[in-house]
Amino acid sequence: MAFERERPDPSRPWNRGERGAAWSGLDQANIMGVELIAATLTWAGIGFLLDRWLGTTPWLLVVGALAGNAAGIYLIWLRSNRMEGGSAYTGGSTYAGSAGSALAQPAREELPDE
């Protein structure tokens, strides 16, 4: 007896495209968590090494952990803006008519009338 593989039905709510989008969101969430942990541990490690070298235990470890946490939160903010389709490097507000949006948009070339 041979088993047949069930083909995806596009009318079902969890068709192949939606599953891909769900997995993509989980991938992004996983990356964000790893970035937060990695930034915190990296800067805490740098603070720990500086503490041992300078003999200021535990102050630089604490400062490094806080700086790493802030850096990790910043990385999460950048990634979430990219996921929403925005850009984190707009140079200001994204509202139409503001100075930041004028700087963020490329200049349009005017074509001569012929």
Side-chain angles (χ1 to χ4, degrees):
M1 179 159 92
F3 292 100
E4 291 185 26
R5 186 174 183 190
E6 183 181 335
R7 293 185 181 181
D9 182 11
S11 65
R12 289 177 36 195
W14 279 92
N15 65 22
R16 185 174 230 151
E18 289 177 359
R19 264 189 258 155
W23 282 110
S24 175
L26 288 174
D27 289 345
Q28 293 296 322
N30 186 27
I31 290 170
M32 287 180 191
V34 168
E35 283 178 344
L36 178 64
I37 292 169
T40 303
L41 291 178
T42 299
W43 285 102
I46 290 170
F48 174 75
L49 292 175
L50 287 173
D51 269 338
R52 291 191 67 184
W53 183 48
L54 299 172
T56 58
T57 305
W59 298 109
L60 293 178
L61 170 68
V62 172
V63 169
L66 291 174
N69 200 5
I73 290 171
Y74 179 69
L75 290 172
I76 288 173
W77 177 76
L78 288 177
R79 185 169 297 276
S80 67
N81 277 349
R82 276 188 249 135
M83 285 174 54
E84 291 174 0
S87 175
Y89 302 107
T90 58
S93 176
T94 57
Y95 294 110
S98 68
S101 65
L103 295 173
Q105 297 174 358
R108 294 174 128 180
E109 292 183 23
E110 296 292 327
L111 298 175
D113 294 329
E114 293 183 31

